[in-house]
Amino acid sequence: MKESFTGKVYLVGAGPGDPELLTVKARALLDRADVVLHDDLVSPEIISLILPQTEIVNVGKRCGLKKITQNEINGQMIALAKRGLQVVRLKSGDPAIFGRLAEETDALEAARIPFEVVPGITAGISAAASLRVSLTDRRSSSRVVIVTGHPATDKEKQDKIEWRDLVRPESTLVIYMPGQNFSHLREELVAAGLASDVPAVLVSQASTPRQQQHCTTVGEVHKLQSVPAPAILLIGRSLERACQRSSVENLSLALDDADLVICSK
Amino acid sequence: MKESFTGKVYLVGAGPGDPELLTVKARALLDRADVVLHDDLVSPEIISLILPQTEIVNVGKRCGLKKITQNEINGQMIALAKRGLQVVRLKSGDPAIFGRLAEETDALEAARIPFEVVPGITAGISAAASLRVSLTDRRSSSRVVIVTGHPATDKEKQDKIEWRDLVRPESTLVIYMPGQNFSHLREELVAAGLASDVPAVLVSQASTPRQQQHCTTVGEVHKLQSVPAPAILLIGRSLERACQRSSVENLSLALDDADLVICSK
């Protein structure tokens, strides 16, 4: 009999990490869920909101020794929904931006499981908000190009990313999973014609207490150290204000240190 | 004395329109605000949530007979904060995507008013969620290009948008404010090398009860009728699933109509 009451799968964006940046809908769905299947990158602050009676499954492909395949995740969602359960498939950021959403919805559709997609604040947009900058600016930046530092399509695994196509002075480049090879990235960006003084800001774990950001320029981007995921590298003239603020803050920190030295004499 | 207690301005993304797609933080800030200054495109459902004791000011630049300038909006925010008030500057979607955020933060910074940016679900991401598609797909689409159909920078008012740079088979193109001249757009997209069978979906007022979407292809995009704002035009192979679903639904509607005719005999 249980098989006849099919449940539903909600593919929900968890946002960048701060529980306050969940949508009202995501928050309510978490409270109503029978099971939550979540990625590794969903923040511990959000996981801790889930009620004790709700089953929590980490299906993060990085966690533990056993590698969970996409097919296994699809199979779990389908099996749980067929048991009549309300399943929240919780993804860091927004499900439609580098979230492997299409593969999961294809599987759900093939199995005739009802599903809904609930958008979330994607990491790039959260990074911009935390820096208090706009990704577009009527005065300098008319477009936003969202790309991943890792090959995202199967085709790109053979080809390299065509930075030349992506890079324009009037674009803000938002690089998800920028990786660790910033020397290579610098070469690509400069070869693609980006001026070496264009600002670049690396933001890690935006919106959480662990957030860090590092302001630099395209010409110095190779000096960046790798940071904890989720990380976003923002590049473009629209970042200028963030870097100006950052240098003022660093200067004032340096002055504070100087005062401290004087006082301790 | 009042002047010494400076208030604060929160530049808040209202999301696409559904009050459930506000962030938890935006919802709380609306409840705590002394004044809300909002754009025209913030949905009536969200405006109706604002408490009766909160002053509501529509600073939408399209509304009424008098055109409110950006300088006047900046001046209002600053004056209210200087009175010690908690000001929510509520913007449709996300403030960092075509929201004129930088101009407002520049003015606040110059006036030394404390401010914070609270991200929101931007219309393009909400449109994708409502269509239950991904903007990226490991199998076909590795990047998202967010652009506006109208000239966004002052420079672009002289130049035309370089569609040739934007259009790539592996990109999903997300066009904000696509305007009404879809014939011109079709010419540009085809001239830029996009295949005429690439799916295009026009979404109006995503996430609200007034949402409408129209599936077509690049080759037929000139036949689209203009729709109420906020409107988003999504173009790319990643939209294929949305258009397949739409044709199945239309077919089943047509069959329903056929049944109706048969039954009424």
Side-chain angles (χ1 to χ4, degrees), chain A residues 49-60:
Chain A
L49 295 176
I50 301 171
L51 301 174
Q53 65 269 32
T54 308
E55 191 186 345
I56 304 176
V57 185
N58 182 345
V59 293

Side-chain angles (χ1 to χ4, degrees), chain B residues 56-82:
Chain B
I56 304 176
V57 186
N58 181 345
V59 293
K61 287 194 276 298
R62 306 168 194 217
C63 83
L65 290 170
K66 194 173 163 254
K67 215 172 144 73
I68 304 176
T69 66
Q70 188 61 56
N71 277 344
E72 285 167 339
I73 297 173
N74 298 348
Q76 279 197 44
M77 288 192 297
I78 292 165
L80 291 163
K82 282 195 169 167

Side-chain angles (χ1 to χ4, degrees), chain A residues 62-142:
Chain A
R62 306 168 195 218
C63 83
L65 290 170
K66 195 174 162 249
K67 214 173 145 74
I68 304 176
T69 66
Q70 188 60 57
N71 276 344
E72 284 166 341
I73 297 173
N74 298 348
Q76 279 197 42
M77 288 193 298
I78 292 166
L80 290 163
K82 281 194 170 168
R83 282 172 50 203
L85 300 176
Q86 301 294 305
V87 182
V88 167
R89 173 73 179 96
L90 193 63
K91 290 165 178 285
S92 171
D94 177 71
I97 305 278
F98 303 122
R100 300 209 177 167
L101 176 66
E103 290 160 80
E104 298 187 5
T105 58
D106 280 359
L108 293 169
E109 219 153 12
R112 297 180 173 270
I113 303 293
F115 69 93
E116 192 176 328
V117 180
V118 180
I121 304 288
T122 185
I125 281 182
S126 166
S130 70
L131 297 170
R132 304 190 301 167
V133 295
S134 189
L135 294 170
T136 63
D137 187 329
R138 199 158 50 133
R139 299 160 300 184
S140 64
S141 166
S142 61

Side-chain angles (χ1 to χ4, degrees), chain A residues 16-230:
Chain A
D18 178 355
E20 291 214 295
L21 294 181
L22 282 165
T23 62
V24 171
K25 186 166 191 172
R27 187 74 183 79
L29 284 170
L30 283 179
D31 286 348
R32 274 170 33 203
D34 296 307
V35 192
V36 176
L37 306 178
H38 72 88
D39 287 342
D40 272 338
L41 289 179
V42 174
S43 74
E45 290 87 353
I46 288 176
I47 300 298
S48 72
L49 295 176
I50 301 171
L51 301 174
Q53 65 269 32
T54 308
E55 191 186 345
I56 304 176
V57 185
N58 182 345
V59 293
K61 287 193 277 298
R62 306 168 195 218
C63 83
L65 290 170
K66 195 174 162 249
K67 214 173 145 74
I68 304 176
T69 66
Q70 188 60 57
N71 276 344
E72 284 166 341
I73 297 173
N74 298 348
Q76 279 197 42
M77 288 193 298
I78 292 166
L80 290 163
K82 281 194 170 168
R83 282 172 50 203
L85 300 176
Q86 301 294 305
V87 182
V88 167
R89 173 73 179 96
L90 193 63
K91 290 165 178 285
S92 171
D94 177 71
I97 305 278
F98 303 122
R100 300 209 177 167
L101 176 66
E103 290 160 80
E104 298 187 5
T105 58
D106 280 359
L108 293 169
E109 219 153 12
R112 297 180 173 270
I113 303 293
F115 69 93
E116 192 176 328
V117 180
V118 180
I121 304 288
T122 185
I125 281 182
S126 166
S130 70
L131 297 170
R132 304 190 301 167
V133 295
S134 189
L135 294 170
T136 63
D137 187 329
R138 199 158 50 133
R139 299 160 300 184
S140 64
S141 166
S142 61
R143 65 196 62 157
V144 181
V145 179
I146 297 178
V147 67
T148 162
H150 288 295
T153 59
D154 292 336
K155 188 173 170 296
E156 274 187 350
K157 281 184 188 155
Q158 288 104 48
D159 310 345
K160 49 182 230 167
I161 298 175
E162 296 159 12
W163 290 101
R164 198 175 294 270
D165 294 339
L166 297 174
V167 169
R168 289 283 174 266
E170 68 277 18
S171 295
T172 303
L173 202 53
V174 182
I175 308 178
Y176 282 63
M177 296 166 273
Q180 302 169 9
N181 191 344
F182 296 114
S183 299
H184 177 69
L185 180 66
R186 178 183 175 279
E187 280 169 40
E188 294 282 357
L189 295 174
V190 170
L194 217 54
S196 61
D197 70 332
V198 169
V201 187
L202 182 64
V203 185
S204 166
Q205 298 180 298
S207 89
T208 73
R210 300 167 296 285
Q211 175 170 341
Q212 36 173 304
Q213 64 259 357
H214 304 280
C215 273
T216 184
T217 58
V218 165
E220 303 276 308
V221 82
H222 59 290
K223 296 182 184 166
L224 285 172
Q225 303 292 313
S226 109
V227 290

